Amino acid sequence: MMTNTKEVWELFSPEKPFSREVRAFHHTNKGRVKSRVFRPVEYKLQTEFKRAVEQYAAELNEQGYNVYFSLNPIKQSFKGASASDDDILQYEFLLIDLDRAGDTKNPATAREIELATELGEKILEFLTALGWPQPKRVMSGNGHHLYYRLDDLPNDPESKRLIKQTLNCLADKFNTRDIEVDRVVFNSSRITKFPGTIMRKGVESDDRPYRRATVYGN
């Protein structure tokens, strides 16, 4: 199975001069963490910035790390390697993360992925009927993600409360016995699966293989 880190740009635009963090956890030891913030201003060309991000993510993934990307842009003034909520410029996306209920220590089955995708389609239809725009969609490796572009909400308590309430409302309405909306992905420094990389969780088997996080339709 090969990585395809170029998929990340189908979610996040490299044309915007925002810093982004790539953070990775080794699948056999989550205490082994690597993190780096990529700052576009440090590169002469956008292609150089993209290539650096892709290469770093691909190398870590090949070394057995599960790779993540910052959901929201980081302040240009931030100089560290791993951002906290106070270091985020604004809320750029609402993430709706659908995963199986219960034990998630090992990879999902094909049926569990299918159920998460079906629930994602129901939520998408519901929000579309309310006038929401079309989201970006990702098979996260073990579930289904919907990414809704926001109008660059300020990184403040009011925005955080709004996103938290939205996730809770969707969970209350759509959660099933098998699949749930993750209620806790509302903080501004949230990291999310790096599209195109292999997600390794627990022990894989014939019916529970490791999978590559893939932008929907790819």
Side-chain angles (χ1 to χ4, degrees), residues 103-188:
D103 185 3
T104 60
K105 293 181 181 178
N106 296 312
T109 64
R111 178 55 179 161
E112 289 166 342
I113 295 288
E114 182 181 6
L115 289 173
T117 303
E118 290 174 354
L119 189 61
E121 290 172 349
K122 291 180 180 179
I123 294 174
L124 187 155
E125 292 174 0
F126 172 75
L127 295 177
T128 299
L130 295 178
W132 285 45
Q134 291 297 300
K136 297 287 188 178
R137 302 171 68 184
V138 169
M139 192 286 288
S140 65
N142 291 289
H144 195 77
H145 288 179
L146 303 174
Y147 294 85
Y148 281 92
R149 183 71 170 83
L150 302 173
D151 292 330
D152 296 338
L153 298 179
N155 179 21
D156 60 20
E158 183 177 353
S159 295
K160 184 176 183 178
R161 183 166 51 252
L162 176 62
I163 291 174
K164 182 178 181 179
Q165 290 174 344
T166 300
L167 294 176
N168 281 330
C169 287
L170 291 173
D172 290 342
K173 183 175 180 63
F174 288 101
N175 278 5
T176 69
R177 180 184 62 185
D178 301 306
I179 305 297
E180 297 179 340
V181 175
D182 193 333
R183 298 175 183 265
V184 302
V185 293
F186 54 80
N187 62 305
S188 59

Side-chain angles (χ1 to χ4, degrees), residues 12-188:
F12 305 102
S13 172
E15 285 74 24
K16 291 189 175 182
F18 294 143
S19 299
R20 298 278 185 177
E21 178 183 350
V22 177
R23 193 184 309 174
F25 306 84
H26 200 275
H27 81 283
T28 63
N29 181 0
K30 288 188 177 180
R32 292 174 59 185
V33 182
K34 294 193 175 184
S35 183
R36 178 178 170 184
V37 173
F38 289 84
R39 302 170 177 84
V41 295
E42 296 177 356
Y43 299 86
K44 292 181 179 180
L45 300 173
Q46 292 174 6
T47 53
E48 294 178 354
F49 168 74
K50 291 171 62 176
R51 189 181 306 114
V53 171
E54 293 167 17
Q55 183 175 349
Y56 184 72
E59 289 176 352
L60 290 178
N61 201 221
E62 291 169 4
Q63 294 169 18
Y65 286 83
N66 290 325
V67 186
Y68 297 79
F69 204 59
S70 55
L71 182 64
N72 297 304
I74 298 170
K75 295 176 181 177
Q76 297 289 12
S77 58
F78 178 69
K79 300 301 182 183
S82 188
S84 64
D85 285 355
D86 290 341
D87 303 314
I88 300 302
L89 178 65
Q90 61 201 17
Y91 278 96
E92 193 172 61
F93 285 96
L94 166 69
L95 166 61
I96 301 174
D97 181 359
L98 302 167
D99 205 348
R100 63 193 190 277
D103 185 3
T104 60
K105 293 181 181 178
N106 296 312
T109 64
R111 178 55 179 161
E112 289 166 342
I113 295 288
E114 182 181 6
L115 289 173
T117 303
E118 290 174 354
L119 189 61
E121 290 172 349
K122 291 180 180 179
I123 294 174
L124 187 155
E125 292 174 0
F126 172 75
L127 295 177
T128 299
L130 295 178
W132 285 45
Q134 291 297 300
K136 297 287 188 178
R137 302 171 68 184
V138 169
M139 192 286 288
S140 65
N142 291 289
H144 195 77
H145 288 179
L146 303 174
Y147 294 85
Y148 281 92
R149 183 71 170 83
L150 302 173
D151 292 330
D152 296 338
L153 298 179
N155 179 21
D156 60 20
E158 183 177 353
S159 295
K160 184 176 183 178
R161 183 166 51 252
L162 176 62
I163 291 174
K164 182 178 181 179
Q165 290 174 344
T166 300
L167 294 176
N168 281 330
C169 287
L170 291 173
D172 290 342
K173 183 175 180 63
F174 288 101
N175 278 5
T176 69
R177 180 184 62 185
D178 301 306
I179 305 297
E180 297 179 340
V181 175
D182 193 333
R183 298 175 183 265
V184 302
V185 293
F186 54 80
N187 62 305
S188 59

